[in-house]
Amino acid sequence: MGTLPTTERGRRTRRRIVAAALEVVGENGAPATSLDEVGARAPASRSQLYHYFEDKNDLLRAVAEATNDAVLEPQQELFDGLGTMAGLRRWADALVALQEERGGKGGCPIANLLGQVGERDDDMRAVLATGFDRWEASIRGGLAAMAASGELRPGADVDLLATSTLASLQGGLVLTQARRDPRALRQALDGALALIGSYRTV
């Protein structure tokens, strides 16, 4: 593992390198990403790259962490409102609206990167899995709040519902990406919400 910076200047340099690598990976894919291109984009010298990162795989693991944050942090305000059915619908609507803006392009960045590197680098797979774990935990937290408030019937399996909802989301994103049609995500999330709705007390 490369050297973790101890100064603010070092932390800024490392963040700049990771941000550049995130852009290059997004454009070229992880296998085709080169340290030379990342260094030129940052900009950063070879010595700086190898000061902060042991090798390309070490840098890509940092990209995986940054990808998780880039996907999940913008959803935090929506996650905070998942404790009601109305909040779940707002979250689903926002995800569909984003895909409509993008014309169905892009898919899920976490899943995309997992597909590129997950079978060849177990450490990176584990990092990306934590992104899905965080996503599922946010959904589960909202469902648990619904159960605690009495909006969901006693005995509703919030673990199962959270996993099912995330799986529907990911499947919908894949179909949307393949078809360039956000209606696939809309239908997948509507199905997940219908399942959750079947456990409502009102």
Side-chain angles (χ1 to χ4, degrees):
M1 184 175 180
T3 301
L4 293 175
T6 58
T7 66
E8 182 54 35
R9 181 179 179 183
R11 287 189 285 272
R12 285 198 303 269
T13 299
R14 188 180 187 278
R15 286 196 297 267
R16 190 174 71 245
I17 293 169
V18 173
L22 193 61
E23 289 180 1
V24 175
V25 168
E27 293 168 10
N28 301 341
T33 292
S34 72
L35 292 179
D36 287 339
E37 187 171 0
V38 172
R41 185 79 60 96
S45 66
R46 271 270 177 170
S47 62
Q48 284 178 309
L49 290 173
Y50 282 110
H51 178 70
Y52 295 112
F53 303 97
E54 183 177 304
D55 53 22
K56 177 181 172 179
N57 283 343
D58 192 25
L59 175 58
L60 288 177
R61 280 189 286 274
V63 168
E65 293 172 352
T67 298
N68 288 342
D69 291 340
V71 171
L72 297 172
E73 287 177 0
Q75 297 183 67
Q76 189 55 57
E77 185 175 348
L78 291 165
F79 288 153
D80 291 342
L82 291 185
T84 65
M85 198 69 197
L88 282 167
R89 290 196 184 97
R90 281 193 297 271
W91 170 71
D93 289 346
L95 293 174
V96 173
L98 180 60
Q99 289 303 308
E100 289 172 344
E101 289 174 12
R102 294 176 174 175
K105 298 178 181 178
C108 172
I110 299 174
N112 290 344
L113 190 54
L114 179 65
Q116 295 172 35
V117 301
E119 295 301 322
R120 294 182 288 104
D121 188 315
D122 202 51
D123 289 340
M124 208 171 310
R125 178 202 57 75
V127 171
L128 293 165
T130 67
F132 289 126
D133 291 344
R134 288 165 56 189
W135 213 337
E136 187 175 339
S138 294
I139 298 169
R140 185 186 305 111
L143 295 170
M146 291 175 68
S149 70
E151 188 169 354
L152 294 183
R153 296 199 307 267
D157 190 336
V158 296
D159 290 332
L160 181 150
L161 291 173
T163 300
S164 176
T165 300
L166 181 59
S168 296
L169 167 59
Q170 289 300 315
L173 285 170
V174 169
L175 291 176
T176 288
Q177 184 179 20
R179 296 172 178 169
R180 295 289 192 262
D181 186 353
R183 286 179 298 179
L185 179 59
R186 173 83 277 168
Q187 291 166 349
L189 288 176
D190 283 350
L193 294 181
L195 177 61
I196 294 168
S198 71
Y199 289 90
R200 294 183 75 196
T201 55
V202 292

